Amino acid sequence: MATEDQKTATAGRVDRTLETRSLRGEESAAGSTHIADGVVAKVAGIAAREVAGVHALGGGGARAFGAIRDAVNATDLTQGVKVEVGDTQAAADLTIVVEYPARIQEVAGQVRAAVAGAIARVTGLEVVEVNIDVNDVHIPGDDNDDESESRVS
């Protein structure tokens, strides 16, 4: 049985109490399994990128570094993803860029569902929340730095 200190030791969004873990049978005489935050973040990043209407993950600076990593074939699948992982639960925060003219609320809802489903399916953790921060809209053609069509001569 967990002590009162162990029950109140949770400061985040996920339940980290020993009592919950042992009641759910996550620990046995053969050992226990701990899933690292990075693993859950990678699962979330992969799932989010598969949603139609998502152009990229992460803020402007993260995307700039991501472009450099992509150029050297070292893509960071956790870019734009922050997770909190407990013994039986996980929570995720994602920053995304949505393709114009996709409906932002629909894309965010699809990302939320895809991420929660992937984390639950792959890790077996209960997903308590998935927060989506849309920080930009990508307009097709913005990636073209073609300056040959100058407005002035």
Side-chain angles (χ1 to χ4, degrees), residues 48 51-56 96-111 134 136-140:
V51 174
V54 173
H55 174 72
I96 66 171
V97 177
V98 175
E99 288 282 353
Y100 180 84
R103 294 179 177 210
I104 293 173
Q105 292 294 347
E106 288 179 15
V107 172
Q110 291 170 356
V111 168
V134 180
D136 201 0
V137 174
H138 177 261
I139 301 170

Side-chain angles (χ1 to χ4, degrees), residues 33-130:
T33 302
H34 174 75
I35 301 171
D37 291 9
V39 171
V40 177
K42 189 176 280 190
V43 169
I46 292 167
R49 284 174 174 80
E50 292 175 347
V51 174
V54 173
H55 174 72
L57 270 68
R63 289 196 318 270
F65 283 117
I68 295 168
R69 282 190 297 267
D70 289 345
V72 294
N73 208 16
T75 303
D76 179 10
L77 296 174
T78 65
Q79 174 182 305
V81 180
K82 292 181 182 142
V83 298
E84 191 175 330
V85 181
D87 295 319
T88 61
Q89 298 176 326
D93 299 316
L94 290 90
T95 302
I96 66 171
V97 177
V98 175
E99 288 282 353
Y100 180 84
R103 294 179 177 210
I104 293 173
Q105 292 294 347
E106 288 179 15
V107 172
Q110 291 170 356
V111 168
R112 187 173 289 108
V115 167
I119 291 172
R121 184 178 58 257
V122 174
T123 67
L125 296 169
E126 174 190 3
V127 180
V128 293
E129 72 180 9
V130 177

Side-chain angles (χ1 to χ4, degrees), residues 6-39:
Q6 289 170 322
K7 289 181 186 176
T8 59
T10 61
R13 299 174 288 183
V14 299
D15 183 5
R16 297 175 191 261
T17 61
L18 296 174
E19 182 177 289
T20 303
R21 182 178 63 207
S22 60
L23 288 175
R24 291 192 54 164
E26 298 294 328
E27 230 176 64
S28 69
S32 64
T33 302
H34 174 75
I35 301 171
D37 291 9
V39 171

